[in-house]
Amino acid sequence: MKRMQRIIAIMLALLMLTGVCAAAEPQISEAGLAMMGVLVPESDLAGETVEESPEEIEDWKLLLVNPWNKLPENYTVTLKRLANGLQVDERIYDDLNAMLTDCWKAGLHPVVCSAYRPHATQVRLHNNKIARLRWAGYSYEAAVKEAGRWVAVPGTSEHETGMALDIVSYSYQLLNEQQENTAEQKWFMEHCWEYGFILRYPKDKTEVTGIGYEPWHYRYVGREHAAKLYESGLCLEEYITALEDPTETAEGTVEAFVEEDSGVPVAPSEK
């Protein structure tokens, strides 16, 4: 047992030295995961609580992927490559490029450290998170549950859509709450909606989104929807609920954005 612990400790130490954002998500090989007894078969990752979306969402920009809504099995995306080699849905490329360009023009230095992830990559990240929690003393069941709060269960990750990005400051590239204090994140939180993006997992919406606060994770929803989300203070789950049934959303948050008769959001007042 001690020998196994030494091996795993060495693996983690080496992996902590690699790559952008790697300090927050060091990678362990499948061999290492199997050695630790925490490698989860892909068929078991989704669990019984994950359900596929019952029908396709008409507006592709509002595709809801979260712990309770799995990415449709027939989902496909056409990708476009960024300058650093990462890829995004080609439909969001122009708005993303405009946002990053304007951020640079403001004298800041943003870095896109994660964008589209193939399903296999999400499986590896999720397994790795479970492994590190097991190493920290969590039981297997507790590790699986806690891992899902920080690394989406494969099939429920927005990164698999090509519409989500992790953006950090060049001067501070760790994926933790201190990211919110960087000048880059302050700029994005104030301006991302102008380009069709939202901060997907706000600090005060963790119970609704099912994901912990991530002041680096941005999701494309289109400029029209982003403006309404920004103005209303809703998260994506609440916004979609308001579109489907305004009465289901918390009182006082939707009235100015959803027409009473049609249930269609109206343009917010300009700030």
Side-chain angles (χ1 to χ4, degrees):
M1 180 64 182
K2 290 183 177 180
R3 179 174 177 274
M4 182 184 298
Q5 290 178 336
R6 286 197 298 270
I7 292 173
I8 296 169
I10 293 171
M11 291 168 64
L12 287 170
L14 291 172
L15 289 163
M16 287 285 285
L17 300 176
T18 62
V20 173
C21 300
E25 291 294 340
Q27 298 302 297
I28 303 175
S29 68
E30 289 195 3
L33 290 166
M35 183 188 303
M36 295 173 69
V38 297
L39 183 60
V40 184
E42 184 173 335
S43 60
D44 294 341
L45 287 171
E48 295 181 359
T49 60
V50 175
E51 298 180 359
E52 292 185 17
S53 302
E55 58 186 36
E56 300 241 357
I57 296 191
E58 292 185 7
D59 189 341
W60 62 272
K61 297 183 291 295
L62 293 182
L63 176 64
L64 182 61
V65 179
N66 63 18
W68 308 281
N69 294 274
K70 193 174 182 180
L71 193 69
E73 288 186 358
N74 62 347
Y75 183 80
T76 59
V77 58
T78 302
L79 300 170
K80 189 166 184 175
R81 194 174 301 277
L82 305 179
N84 63 0
L86 297 179
Q87 300 180 92
V88 297
D89 186 319
E90 67 174 3
R91 296 169 293 187
I92 81 170
Y93 181 88
D94 289 342
D95 281 338
L96 174 61
N97 186 58
M99 180 172 71
L100 294 174
T101 298
D102 287 349
C103 187
W104 275 88
K105 287 180 178 179
L108 304 173
H109 300 89
V111 175
V112 177
C113 69
S114 182
Y116 169 75
R117 291 179 194 155
H119 184 74
T121 298
Q122 193 64 32
V123 170
R124 187 172 68 252
L125 290 171
H126 188 259
N127 281 336
N128 180 71
K129 184 66 174 180
I130 294 173
R132 289 187 290 115
L133 290 168
R134 290 282 284 139
W135 177 250
Y138 282 71
S139 69
Y140 175 77
E141 293 76 13
V144 170
K145 182 177 181 179
E146 181 66 12
R149 295 185 63 241
W150 304 103
V151 179
V153 173
T156 70
S157 171
E158 288 197 328
H159 283 286
E160 292 184 57
T161 70
M163 293 187 282
L165 308 104
D166 292 342
I167 307 177
V168 296
S169 167
Y170 179 79
S171 63
Y172 188 84
Q173 298 184 18
L174 298 182
L175 298 182
N176 58 35
E177 287 198 20
Q178 295 303 313
Q179 191 65 225
E180 70 178 358
N181 298 321
T182 66
E184 285 79 5
Q185 295 303 345
K186 291 178 181 179
W187 189 93
F188 283 122
M189 290 181 189
E190 181 177 354
H191 296 287
C192 69
W193 65 274
E194 299 171 16
Y195 306 88
F197 290 85
I198 59 171
L199 181 67
R200 180 64 177 91
Y201 305 121
K203 183 180 293 185
D204 61 342
K205 302 291 185 179
T206 59
E207 294 300 317
V208 182
T209 64
I211 301 294
Y213 175 46
E214 295 190 355
W216 59 81
H217 182 107
Y218 295 88
R219 159 68 191 269
Y220 187 79
V221 294
R223 297 194 181 207
E224 179 183 358
H225 295 304
K228 295 165 188 172
L229 280 155
Y230 177 78
E231 193 77 12
S232 68
L234 301 176
C235 66
L236 186 57
E237 283 81 2
E238 293 170 326
Y239 181 70
I240 291 176
T241 296
L243 291 178
E244 296 173 345
D245 184 359
T247 63
E248 292 293 324
T249 307
E251 183 179 357
T253 58
V254 184
E255 284 80 357
F257 304 93
V258 180
E259 293 179 341
E260 185 171 348
D261 294 333
S262 66
V264 178
V266 296
S269 58
E270 293 188 0
K271 285 193 170 183

